[in-house]
Structure formats: C-alpha cells, structure tokens
Amino acid sequence: MSTPSTPPSQPASLPRSNVALIGSPNSGKSLLFNRLTGLNQKVANFPGITVDISAGKSLIDNSTEYLDFPGVYSLHTISGEEKLAVEAFYKAMDADHLDAVICVVDATRLEKGLIFALQVVEACRRYNKPLLIAANMTDVLEQHKMQLDTQGLADALKVPVLPISGKTGFGLENIPSAIASAKAPTEAYGIAGDIIASDDSLIHRQAQQLANKYGPKGDLLINAQTKLDSFFLHSWFGGLSFFVIMYLLFQSIFTWAAPVMDGVETIIQVTADFVLARVPEGMASDFIADALFGGIGAFLVFVPQIFVLTLVVGMLEDSGYLARAAVICHKPLRVFGLTGKSFIPMLSSVACAIPGIYAARTVDSPRKRWLTYLAIPLMPCSARLPVYTLLIAAFIPAQKALGGLIGWQGLAMFGIYVFGIVCALLVTAVVSRSNAELRSDLPFVLEMPPYRLPSWRPLLRNAWNRSKHFVTKAGKIIFIVTVVIWFLGYFPNQGASLGDSWLGTMGQWIEPVFAPFGLDWKYGVAILTSFLAREVFVGTLGTLFGIEGAEENFVSLSQQIQDSGLPIGSGVALLVFFAIALQCVSTLAVLAKETGSWRLPTQLFISYSIFAYVAAFLTFHLVEFLV
Amino acid sequence: MTLWDLTQGTSATVSAFAASIEAGYRTRLSELGFHPGESISCVMAPSLGAPKLYRVNNTVYSLDDSIASMIEVA
Ligand SMILES: Nc1nc2c(ncn2[C@@H]2O[C@H](COP(=O)(O)OP(=O)(O)OP(=O)(O)O)[C@@H](O)[C@H]2O)c(=O)[nH]1
Ligand SMILES: [Mg+2]
C-alpha cells in the first residue's frame, strides 16, 4: 500500500460518517463495497485481491462513506502487506477517522471469520467504535438449507449480527439503520484479558465454540469442495483439465472474438467508404482517410478481443479454479525461481500487465514477488495482440496445416505466445540463480477458496469497463500520435511523397537502427511511437501507409504490408521484438509505484530493449538463412 | 513425523514446530490454525510433490513441502 488512503480531516460543514469494511481475505468485502457504493473494485474468488484502501459514498445516503480494506487474517499480523493494512486500520481508529466498523464474516466459514471478528470486537471496545458484524454469503447457506443463528451469535458477542448476501443483495437495505443503532462493544468477549495479543489457540478455541454453537452444521460444503478438488488436482485429470482450460482460454480469444472483429472491420470499412464519398477530395478527405480510419480504425478492431479475454479470465477468477491452478503450477514454477502464486499475476498479464502487477501483491514472499515482476512484462499481453494479429495476417498464409486440423496463422499465434512465456521463465530462472540478493522468502501457504459458479453480470460489466477504458485511454494516445504522425507525414508537400515529408526526413535518421532487420523507416517510426503503448504501432503504420497509398477504397493494413514486399524475416523479427520489448509507459509507471522506486522499471526497460533488439536481429538472419 | 508425511485421508494433531522455523512463519501458521493441539487432516495429496491440502476446521489450506515438513504431528 503506497498511500493508505484514509480520508483527510473532514470540513466541519460536511458531517460525513466513515464506515470501514474489514474482514478476513475472500469474505466478500469488495463485492459488498461495490454494492453499497456503486463503484467497481476488483472482486475475485482468491484471497488477498484488494491491496489498497478505497473509499466510496453510499448510494443510499451520501453522507456515509464506506472504506474497503484489504483482507487480513489477524489484527496482530506481521506479514508485509497485511501489516500495512492493519496499521492503516489502527491509524484510522486512532485519528478518529472512523465512525463505525463493519466486520464482514463469511458465514460458510464461520470459524475462520470469528477468529478475526473476536479481535475486532476487542479493538472496537478499546477505541470505542460502534461495530456491526455482517454475516455474508447467506445465499449459499440458504441454497444448502443450512442455518445460522444470528440472534444467538449477537447475544453471545453482544454485538449486532446482520445476515446479508453481497451477491443477491439480501439484507443490504438494513445496513444503514443497523450502523446507526450499533454501539461500541463494552464487554470483552469470553476470558477477559488481552485477546488481541494473547495466544492464538485461545481465540481459536473460542471461535470454534461459537461456530459450533451458532453456525451452520455439517460438512456439506467442504465435502463438495473436496470432491471437486480430487478431480481438479487428480494426477491425470488434474493435469489434463489444466491444459484443456488453458487451451479454451486461448481459443476463446481467437475464435469467439473473430466474427465480432470481422464485423467491426466491416463497419469501419463501410463507414469509411460512405464518409469519403461525401467529402470533397483534398486535405480533409486525406486526413479522414489516413489518420481517422487508417490509424484509429486499425486499432478499434481489437476491442472485441480485449472484451472476450477479460471476460474469460474473470470467469476463471470467480470460479475458484485459479487457486487450484496455483497448486498445480507450484512445483514446475519453483524450478524457474517462482511460486505457484506467481501463476495468477502471470495469467492476468495475458490480459494486461497492469492488473498483473497489482495481482502480484497476492505473492506474499517479497523475493518471489520481485521475480514475478521480471516475468510480467514478457507475458503476451493483449496490447501485443493487435501487432501480432496484423503481422501474422500479413506474413503467414491463411492455409490449414496438419491435414486441415489447425491453421498456420493460429499455429504462429500460439508459437509467439509460447515464446513470450518461455522468455519470461528463462529470465526468472537465470536471475533467481545468479542473484543472491537477500530478499526475504516465504513458504507456500494458500487458503483454498470454495468453487463457485461465476456470476455473469459483474463479469460482463467488468469486461465492458475494461474495453471502454481501453478505447478511451489508449484511444486518446493513439489519436494524438496518429494526428501528429499524419501532420508530419503529410506536409510540406500535401501527401504527394511521404519520403520527402518532414517525417520522412526524420525517418532517415532512424532507418539505420532498424535496417539490420530489414525494416524501412516507416516501421522505425511506428516502433518508436509504440514505446508509448504497443497498440500505437498499428495506428501509426496505418496512417503512414494511408498517406503513401493512393487507394480509392479502404484496404486492410495487413494487405498493404503484404503488397509492400517486406521480407518474411523482417516480419518474424518484428514479432520477436514486440514479444520482448517493454514498450508500455503505464507498465513502467505502475511498477515504479509498486516497488517504490524507478530502479526496477529502468533496469527492465533497458535490459528488455537490448534483449529484444538482439533477439530480433538474430531472428531476422536465421529466418532469411532458412527461407 | 511431520505434516508433510500425512497421507491423503488421514489426520493428526500438531505437536510442535521445527526448531529451525522462522518466527514469522510460525505466527502466520498459528493465525491460520496450525498450532499445537489442533487436529489437522490431509484432504488431498496430489502426485508429483505438488502442495498438499490440509483441513483445519472448516477451511482448507495448501502447504508445500518446505513448510509442511516444519510442522511436527503426532
Ligand atoms: N455466493 C456468494 N458469493 C459472494 C458473496 N460475496 C462475495 N462473494 C464472492 O466471494 C469472492 C470474494 O469476494 P471479494 O469481494 O473479492 O472478497 P474480499 O473480502 O474483498 O477479498 P480480499 O480483497 O481478497 O480480502 C468473489 O468470488 C465474490 O463473487 C455472497 O454474498 N454470496
Ligand atoms: Mg477485496
């Protein structure tokens, strides 16, 4: 947590009550927070997802502000991230920033939640803060006809206990009034004394007794979970299902998204032809054709892929399977210096490195987390997808291989994905063996979340938001870059000759850098602009080919590249270059924020740039030699 | 015998931590319920040395060999 965002002191004219949501990891705080505030914090069925405190105004009455805290197992914890959360919690209590506390307890794992709740009762008693215990996930209990005696529990603890479900929304309307009437606990529960600092086994015993007395009876849920575990972690079926799931993930991006992508491309094409037919020839029509449709249109085609990828990764996150995948991958990843927990950030990075870097907080061992950071920028993120798709469409024939079983293009895409992952693992393997830097290590201990059927609505909403974010955020950069590129490429000779334009003159200086792998200056310029964000490559190239080409109609960029006669070695070299180079300003900035300094991002940027250049150079010569 | 030696479907009571265990690990394990006197069962022992799944009351945790072998059981 870089800045525990406890709100600053409130102006006196605005009496606003701050309510903290705390609880053990994966108890459903963030989903509840989203429901109460209408915000969109990340929710996933894996412990330790929330890493920063976020604040949001209540939808019901906006004088209440809720604070979503990262989950912690104990209030006297000592492990890194959790310690920061606990400190922030105490600080907020101490500075009187909190007016009430809601302790969220997973009713299906009551004992675990109560261990923490007992500590919270004691903390609230000391700080004189009103406390409400929210027994969450009651929808699951109901589904299995299980009972929770909230009244009995409330009487025993002398703290109100409210049954709720963050999923169905059950009981949420009672929260404001329950908070308003909640009081600070006055009695210590059970054996008086220092419960927070006392021996764990004492709290455990008390929590156990309470759970046995008032909680749902029976082993139904845990037995169901174990049954599924014995399939998903089975020697044969476990490995097999892992590969099937990863294959489906990969397939979904390409097969499900393909028709939509074609649709978007057609729409752009039709719109372009329609608009251009109505604009008089001249500079305006050139600008519309080259910069707007050529540059920005080329990148909009990839939005459906981002949508599908986010959706599928979200499904996996919600199902509880990721924790099993972490168990399966632990031993193999250890060979490369990583841990099973690195699997989740690495998988998220297939969508985008930024959530991947945040997800790396779930890797509790500082050393392993640091190594995971090295791997993340090499994972094939979706910003590379437009570049890969473009280059593969331009260079790889659309024929079937292996007796029609799979297309060459699909195989090439698979190959470049595997290439990125292999690079990532090789880097961590080498660095973990050669770097004896003393970073503390932690063993692998992971709570297994329950299996759940993913709930569609939040997943779709999340995928939609991410696509929107992609369009607005990346779209803005791409728009500016393409306009600048178009301007420099169009003048001073009104697009008559790209080579003699201002950009062409500048390009001549860049050309020698990329000439060793057979690329002319247009690609050089596109690569340089892509250091802002990878997708910009496609936009820039689209604009440049647009100015250069004299086509009347819209011709796809891959077709134009194909027609330009670029050698295949250069195409493959470009693929390799993009697989390795760290061309993403946001990744660097987030890494700096997460590691607390610019040291690691700077090192990674320089070394991955050199690595990418050398690998592309070797690839070019190898391919040209072979072909 | 250590926790790591438990086979699938068996359970045992934690007796002590290995002397070499770091204080930090020990606290973390205690927080989760792995402390002397607690009965723990091994619900799943995947092959190829993957981390095993242990049940403490109504929660299941997975622990790898490096840490499970530091918890002595009887
Ligand atoms: N069935 C059901 N699932 C829920 C409920 N509340 C949350 N979940 C699910 O539980 C999982 C964890 O929810 P989160 O809100 O991310 O939990 P959290 O407490 O914020 O977790 P951390 O941030 O990791 O501490 C997600 O898969 C949610 O969809 C509920 O009331 N019913
Ligand atoms: Mg959360």
Side-chain angles (χ1 to χ4, degrees):
Chain A
M1 223 160 346
S2 48
T3 42
S5 42
T6 41
S9 51
Q10 310 293 332
S13 59
L14 247 179
R16 178 192 288 165
S17 48
N18 291 312
V19 179
L21 295 173
I22 58 168
S24 35
N26 213 34
S27 55
K29 298 173 294 299
S30 300
L31 186 60
L32 176 63
F33 175 82
N34 288 349
R35 280 262 185 176
L36 292 171
T37 62
L39 294 179
N40 229 327
Q41 289 302 310
K42 182 160 172 88
V43 168
N45 192 7
F46 193 86
I49 292 296
T50 306
V51 288
D52 273 313
I53 302 167
S54 39
K57 274 199 193 130
S58 165
L59 284 179
I60 305 171
D61 69 303
N62 57 28
S63 64
T64 307
E65 188 159 71
Y66 291 104
L67 301 170
D68 181 26
F69 273 76
V72 290
Y73 283 107
S74 153
L75 277 184
H76 59 151
T77 192
I78 46 162
S79 70
E81 296 296 335
E82 288 187 23
K83 194 173 163 192
L84 293 174
V86 169
E87 279 169 4
F89 175 62
Y90 275 126
K91 219 176 100 196
M93 295 260 265
D94 218 12
D96 254 351
H97 280 150
L98 292 182
D99 302 304
V101 175
I102 299 181
C103 179
V104 182
V105 170
D106 176 352
T108 65
R109 300 180 167 201
L110 193 60
E111 189 211 313
K112 190 192 81 175
L114 283 177
I115 294 170
F116 184 70
L118 285 176
Q119 301 179 6
V120 177
V121 171
E122 179 59 17
C124 287
R125 187 184 70 79
R126 284 191 202 168
Y127 284 90
N128 196 27
K129 296 289 178 203
L131 170 66
L132 170 69
I133 292 180
N136 196 18
M137 319 234 179
T138 50
D139 60 299
V140 183
L141 294 187
E142 202 159 308
Q143 208 182 339
H144 294 93
K145 310 227 168 356
M146 293 159 89
Q147 305 288 334
L148 169 72
D149 180 2
T150 43
Q151 195 53 52
L153 191 59
D155 290 343
L157 291 172
K158 306 215 167 40
V159 171
V161 179
L162 191 67
I164 62 160
S165 163
K167 187 176 180 182
T168 64
F170 167 77
L172 300 194
E173 70 281 2
N174 300 330
I175 289 183
S177 60
I179 293 175
S181 61
K183 298 205 174 47
T186 47
E187 289 173 50
Y189 175 76
I191 309 161
D194 199 347
I195 199 167
I196 297 180
S198 80
D199 183 13
D200 282 305
S201 52
L202 178 68
I203 310 179
H204 276 262
R205 228 169 13 247
Q206 293 178 337
Q208 224 165 330
Q209 281 162 4
L210 286 169
N212 287 341
K213 194 156 170 202
Y214 305 108
K217 310 279 181 293
D219 285 345
L220 195 67
L221 293 175
I222 207 136
N223 288 345
Q225 178 179 334
T226 305
K227 211 179 241 156
L228 282 170
D229 276 339
S230 54
F231 177 80
F232 283 114
L233 296 174
H234 184 269
S235 321
W236 290 106
F237 302 125
L240 195 67
S241 47
F242 178 80
F243 282 109
V244 169
I245 289 169
M246 290 305 127
Y247 174 79
L248 288 178
L249 168 77
F250 187 77
Q251 263 299 19
S252 67
I253 313 171
F254 299 103
T255 50
W256 299 2
V260 192
M261 289 173 72
D262 291 343
V264 174
E265 186 155 9
T266 313
I267 292 172
I268 293 172
Q269 199 166 335
V270 171
T271 326
D273 290 343
F274 178 83
V275 172
L276 288 174
R278 272 148 196 83
V279 178
E281 289 238 349
M283 201 163 78
S285 85
D286 284 349
F287 176 77
I288 293 172
D290 307 337
L292 291 189
F293 287 107
I296 298 161
F299 128 94
L300 280 182
V301 174
F302 300 99
V303 176
Q305 245 168 356
I306 300 209
F307 182 86
V308 171
L309 185 66
T310 321
L311 189 68
V312 176
V313 170
M315 262 163 60
L316 278 180
E317 283 177 346
D318 219 25
S319 66
Y321 181 73
L322 284 188
R324 280 72 194 183
V327 169
I328 292 176
C329 293
H330 179 64
K331 201 89 196 279
L333 283 177
R334 211 156 66 169
V335 177
F336 301 99
L338 299 166
T339 147
K341 292 184 188 179
S342 309
F343 178 78
I344 289 104
M346 286 169 78
L347 183 74
S348 308
S349 304
V350 174
C352 174
I354 313 283
I357 294 168
Y358 286 123
R361 293 247 190 121
T362 59
V363 182
D364 44 8
S365 151
R367 180 180 164 79
K368 301 277 161 58
R369 189 188 313 153
W370 182 76
L371 286 164
T372 307
Y373 286 147
L374 305 190
I376 285 174
L378 292 168
M379 294 303 289
C381 73
S382 58
R384 287 177 167 105
L385 209 55
V387 183
Y388 290 169
T389 313
L390 175 71
L391 293 172
I392 286 174
F395 286 100
I396 312 290
Q399 283 155 7
K400 296 275 179 196
L402 303 175
L405 213 58
I406 187 166
W408 278 112
Q409 295 190 335
L411 217 55
M413 186 61 90
F414 184 70
I416 195 70
Y417 263 65
V418 171
F419 177 77
I421 298 167
V422 168
C423 284
L425 293 176
L426 283 182
V427 166
T428 55
V430 170
V431 175
S432 70
R433 276 168 182 73
S434 58
N435 184 305
E437 211 173 324
L438 280 175
R439 278 168 206 275
S440 57
D441 212 345
L442 279 178
F444 182 85
V445 177
L446 177 64
E447 181 186 338
M448 295 279 111
Y451 288 94
R452 282 209 188 94
L453 281 177
S455 33
W456 283 99
R457 281 227 266 148
L459 287 179
L460 284 170
R461 198 168 71 153
N462 186 36
W464 174 253
N465 281 333
R466 190 130 184 88
S467 315
K468 215 169 65 185
H469 181 83
F470 182 78
V471 172
T472 49
K473 193 91 185 285
K476 231 178 269 164
I477 304 178
I478 290 175
F479 180 75
I480 295 168
V481 172
T482 44
V483 169
V484 171
I485 291 287
W486 181 82
F487 183 81
L488 291 175
Y490 193 76
F491 291 102
N493 45 26
Q494 268 73 33
S497 157
L498 183 62
D500 295 328
S501 68
W502 288 326
L503 193 67
T505 320
M506 290 184 222
Q508 253 104 75
W509 309 331
I510 306 169
E511 195 156 56
V513 181
F514 296 103
F517 31 103
L519 297 173
D520 69 26
W521 68 270
K522 290 198 292 295
Y523 293 91
V525 170
I527 291 173
L528 281 192
T529 57
S530 72
F531 273 87
L532 286 172
R534 296 176 178 95
E535 317 82 300
V536 176
F537 178 82
V538 177
T540 307
L541 217 53
T543 308
L544 290 178
F545 272 102
I547 299 175
E548 191 178 53
E551 297 89 6
E552 285 297 303
N553 293 323
F554 183 88
V555 177
S556 77
L557 183 54
S558 62
Q559 187 63 45
Q560 297 187 53
I561 294 177
Q562 212 167 30
D563 297 342
S564 75
L566 194 73
I568 182 163
S570 307
V572 183
L574 263 179
L575 281 175
V576 167
F577 185 87
F578 271 89
I580 300 170
L582 210 175
Q583 302 144 289
C584 179
V585 178
S586 325
T587 301
L588 294 170
V590 173
L591 263 181
K593 179 172 167 269
E594 289 292 290
T595 57
S597 89
W598 276 92
R599 200 177 138 189
L600 181 68
T602 315
Q603 286 171 339
L604 285 184
F605 179 75
I606 294 172
S607 46
Y608 286 171
S609 297
I610 297 172
F611 180 18
Y613 190 86
V614 172
F617 179 79
L618 294 177
T619 307
F620 173 68
H621 286 285
L622 184 72
V623 174
E624 288 300 298
F625 174 78
L626 289 175
V627 174
Chain B
M1 195 168 95
T2 70
L3 202 56
W4 186 251
D5 301 321
L6 282 190
T7 52
Q8 188 166 323
T10 60
S11 48
T13 305
V14 176
S15 52
F17 291 109
S20 58
I21 194 168
E22 272 182 40
Y25 298 7
R26 195 190 161 120
T27 318
R28 165 43 40 113
L29 288 169
S30 282
E31 282 165 16
L32 302 179
F34 296 85
H35 49 71
E38 192 70 60
S39 165
I40 288 168
S41 58
C42 173
V43 292
M44 184 78 213
S47 53
L48 302 171
K52 295 181 182 174
L53 269 53
Y54 299 97
R55 174 174 170 187
V56 187
N57 291 302
N58 56 2
T59 311
V60 175
Y61 299 93
S62 73
L63 273 64
D64 76 351
D65 49 353
S66 69
I67 188 72
S69 57
M70 287 194 168
I71 304 171
E72 280 158 29
V73 294

